[in-house]
């Protein structure tokens, strides 16, 4: 068994300290996703999102990592064989290029300086 010492950090892309109030909230029992309580919470969250994003339209939450959002953006806007220009600006740009290539996108990758 691995023993951890010190405070844990969230490392995406971090490290980012996780506030105690968040850690306490994570330790609460899970709300049944079919319950009235969950429906009320969901409604409040989506209404709050409308205020945050200053919209009266629906807000869609995409339950995934950032990489999942990249993939959704690629497959919902491009088709295999489409040609795109990408600029190398750092590690994430190279990952974006690799993902697009896996989906059959013809990537013209312009080398750049990561600084």
């Amino acid at each position: 068994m691995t023993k951890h010492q010190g405070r844990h950090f969230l490392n995406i892309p971090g490290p980012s300290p996780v506030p105690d109030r968040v850690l306490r909230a994570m330790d609460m029992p899970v709300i049944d996703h079919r319950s009235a309580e969950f429906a009320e919470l969901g409604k409040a969250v989506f209404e709050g999102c409308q205020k945050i994003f200053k919209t009266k339209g629906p807000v869609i939450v995409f339950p995934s990592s950032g990489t999942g959002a990249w993939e959704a953006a690629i497959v919902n806007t491009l088709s295999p064989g489409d040609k795109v220009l990408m600029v190398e600006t750092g590690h994430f740009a190279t990952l974006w290029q690799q993902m697009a290539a896996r989906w059959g996108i013809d990537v013209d990758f312009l080398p750049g300086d990561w600084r």
Side-chain angles (χ1 to χ4, degrees), residues 11-95:
N11 286 300
I12 52 172
S16 301
V18 179
D20 287 333
R21 65 185 176 81
V22 173
L23 292 173
R24 285 191 303 274
M26 290 170 51
D27 194 36
M28 294 176 64
V30 176
I31 301 170
D32 180 353
H33 69 282
R34 293 184 177 131
S35 69
E37 181 183 5
F38 188 86
E40 291 170 21
L41 174 62
K43 184 176 184 221
V45 167
F46 282 110
E47 288 172 353
C49 286
Q50 286 177 310
K51 291 176 186 170
I52 290 169
F53 294 112
K54 298 179 181 172
T55 183
K56 291 185 190 312
V59 174
I60 298 170
V61 175
F62 192 82
S64 112
S65 65
T67 305
W70 289 356
E71 187 168 15
I74 289 171
V75 301
N76 284 291
T77 60
L78 300 167
S79 297
D82 284 353
K83 187 168 181 82
V84 296
L85 173 64
M86 294 183 177
V87 180
E88 180 184 17
T89 57
H91 182 65
F92 288 120
T94 60
L95 294 175

